[in-house]
Amino acid sequence: MILVAGPASTYLAEKLAEITGLKLIKLEHKLFPDGESYIRFPEKIEGQDLLVIQGTHPPQDRHLIQAYFIAENAIDLGAKSVSLIAPYLAYARQDKRFLEGEILSIKSVLGMLKSAGYEKIYTVNIHSPWIAESSPIPLINIHAEKAMARYLKELDVENPVVVSVGKKGEEMASAVANELDADYAVARSSRDRVTGRVMVELERVQKLKNAIVVDDIISTGGTMVEVVNALKKMGAEKIYVACVHGLMIGKAAEKILNAGAEQIIASDTIPSEYSKYSVAEVLVEEVIRGK
Ligand code: R5P
């Protein structure tokens, strides 16, 4: 198997190659002045099984079309098979028609990647894991909780309560709490579909000193700000905020830190200054060694 670094995820592909010793092909890439992508395989790939690493974080549409170009052309150039690691899978939050007539974006994205020629898609902590069941292409969800917990352990937070966001987040909180040998609590959040405002209620909190809030995604930071505010009102002293995918749109980080969080922690599925832990090891374990 050969690893192929897509333009969006070269850093992560390099880590995977370093850990596994697998050969890595770095695609040549540039943007034309009008914003169109130019991509070139710098060497022959005939007869090879390729594992492409290409995240679909912002700019999502550009990264998606690049993922499409890569697979379609790999097959055209004679690759035997092409699979994709998309550490962050775009559009997974539009998995339902919340309002009548809405586009079911994730279904279209998965269909598009299948028609590009990918055999399988691996992703990390997908927002809507249930879509794997109806996906037109095998979709494998890898969990980053252990990698997150390893980093959190090093922070050595005194008596932390791990706080989840939403019902789905409860699984993440309990997994992280289990690794940290800590208790966990649930912050039920709901978002007004029209105004985007997030409301939060905390459940299952007894003794509270320090808190670690965990979520799959931080996007605008609105949800985290509400949870941090609620925890402050309940008397939390230190609050750490951790996620897998740090989209950090606009002033998300500033808003969260201003609300009183000590630190923002994200993985490297989306590279940023908040990428404090790596999903490389779990990807190697599950995708490459698990094969
Ligand atoms: C919601 O279901 C997710 O787990 C996140 O809480 C949400 O997507 C975060 O978005 P934002 O940062 O814009 O509040």
Side-chain angles (χ1 to χ4, degrees), residues 160-175:
V161 173
V162 181
V163 179
S164 78
V165 179
K167 191 172 185 300
K168 190 169 60 72
E170 194 169 342
E171 272 175 42
M172 176 179 280
S174 83

Side-chain angles (χ1 to χ4, degrees), residues 29-38 59 61-62 65-66 69:
H29 163 248
K30 67 180 177 188
L31 288 180
F32 287 110
D34 60 0
E36 290 179 357
S37 293
Y38 166 93
D61 297 353
R62 172 176 292 161
I65 201 75
Q66 290 171 340
F69 289 168

Side-chain angles (χ1 to χ4, degrees), residues 93 127 165 191 198 215-224:
R93 287 186 289 174
H127 185 74
V165 179
R191 186 188 293 268
V198 181
D215 203 354
D216 58 343
I217 301 175
I218 298 177
S219 179
T220 64
T223 308
M224 280 297 185

